[in-house]
Amino acid sequence: MKRVFLFAASLAMIMTMASCGNQNNKKASKEGTAETKAAPEYKLLDKPQVDLSEFPVDEDGYYVIFDGKTMKGWRGYGKDNVPARWVVDDGAIKFTGSGGGEAQAGDGGDLIFSHKFKNFELEFEWKVSKGGNSGVLYLAQEVTTEKDGQTILEPIYISSPEYQVLDNANHPDAKLGVDGNRQSASLYDMIPAKPQNQKPYGEWNKGKIMVYKGTVVHGQNDANVVEYHLWTQQWTDMLQASKFSQEKWPLAFELLNNCGGENHEGYIGFQDHGDDVWFRNIRVKVLE
């Protein structure tokens, strides 16, 4: 009887251990699935690009991509024309806000310069209305997905880092995020601009974005305020800690983790966030 009892006890123990192992494997499998959530299939629009040689080069070696008079070289994101809310106003590109938030359709939507840049330095000036919100996007792609037989144009920021443009004093987004990482000149929702040296709404600010072989620098009012490195573990970790994580937004994570795509190049764009915003003195130097 003792031998039978010992055999039965041993068998029960083995079965219990196997059961626990199966449960742990199932749990690990579920956790692994959450961590590696698949992105939906997508396509990139392939529209003609403008020839930079058609634009003047200033004494500092920058291409002047806005002449203060026309919208030559500019078009709507995912469009062939300039949306009606983007106009030339007193030597600046102005978005006339609707007051209703972002609008990708109709007479609104984001604006891009129709040439893909790889290694470059972008300089510009910007100002916003009271409580205004916008952004400068770079290395952007034009991304579409399919849903229920319909082609959907995904927002520009799904593939592009964003230099935040904001009225820090009056827009609530300035107090959200972490440590001010949604304030002006920040890498939106990831790295705060420090020092935070923004001028008040209605006044012109100087902006700068430099991208060179993965190193990115944001400048604001003659100070470098953000530096980070694309296509590194640091970049992946920042994405995972943001609203663009693989679990929260798998398509954005996939596109941003390899932002600029295969050639590490993309469009420069200005964001329609529903508020009045102005950009002027826009020039780009191509870095070899």
Side-chain angles (χ1 to χ4, degrees), residues 253-265:
F253 176 82
E254 180 175 324
L255 290 164
L256 285 165
N257 200 34
N258 187 36
C259 77
E262 205 173 293
N263 296 324
H264 289 170
E265 63 181 12

Side-chain angles (χ1 to χ4, degrees), residues 49-277:
Q49 297 184 46
V50 296
D51 186 348
L52 274 185
S53 66
E54 297 177 2
F55 294 81
V57 178
D58 66 18
E59 59 186 10
D60 299 318
Y62 288 77
Y63 288 97
V64 179
I65 60 173
F66 173 60
D67 61 9
K69 300 175 183 177
T70 70
M71 299 287 275
K72 178 183 176 181
W74 296 84
R75 62 177 175 82
Y77 170 77
K79 301 177 181 178
D80 297 319
N81 63 307
V82 175
R85 287 189 178 274
W86 291 98
V87 298
V88 177
D89 177 52
D90 193 23
I93 294 176
K94 178 190 177 184
F95 179 79
T96 305
S98 62
E102 299 167 83
Q104 297 301 322
D107 58 357
D110 302 317
L111 186 73
I112 63 173
F113 183 73
S114 192
H115 182 87
K116 289 186 176 182
F117 294 94
K118 185 171 185 176
N119 297 313
F120 63 91
E121 186 167 284
L122 169 69
E123 291 188 352
F124 55 97
E125 294 181 48
W126 63 271
K127 68 177 180 178
V128 290
S129 57
K130 185 175 181 179
N133 187 343
S134 182
V136 180
L137 295 306
Y138 49 97
L139 298 176
Q141 312 299 313
E142 293 176 294
V143 182
T144 65
T145 54
E146 297 289 328
K147 185 175 181 180
D148 300 328
Q150 300 289 322
T151 299
I152 298 169
L153 179 66
E154 297 290 345
I156 190 171
Y157 50 79
I158 201 170
S159 68
S160 169
E162 178 181 344
Y163 177 113
Q164 174 77 310
V165 167
L166 194 77
D167 174 10
N168 293 338
N170 296 289
H171 196 288
D173 214 23
K175 297 180 177 62
L176 301 178
V178 178
D179 193 27
N181 66 3
R182 296 188 183 183
Q183 295 183 10
S184 68
S186 296
L187 173 62
Y188 177 76
D189 207 46
M190 285 185 265
I191 302 178
K194 293 187 177 183
Q196 182 48 255
N197 58 354
Q198 183 207 52
K199 295 181 181 179
Y201 75 89
E203 295 187 24
W204 288 102
N205 292 269
K206 292 181 182 179
K208 180 181 73 174
I209 299 168
M210 188 274 289
V211 178
Y212 186 69
K213 297 182 179 179
T215 295
V216 182
V217 175
H218 289 187
Q220 181 170 253
N221 295 323
D222 299 318
N224 291 334
V225 295
V226 165
E227 180 177 342
Y228 67 99
H229 305 277
L230 292 168
W231 317 307
T232 62
Q233 189 60 49
Q234 175 208 29
W235 174 238
T236 300
D237 292 344
M238 287 195 299
L239 288 173
Q240 287 287 43
S242 75
K243 65 188 284 185
F244 308 110
S245 71
Q246 189 172 25
E247 185 175 0
K248 294 175 185 174
W249 201 346
L251 180 57
F253 176 82
E254 180 175 324
L255 290 164
L256 285 165
N257 200 34
N258 187 36
C259 77
E262 205 173 293
N263 296 324
H264 289 170
E265 63 181 12
Y267 297 111
I268 290 165
F270 298 143
Q271 187 182 42
D272 160 12
H273 208 286
D275 302 316
D276 287 2
V277 61

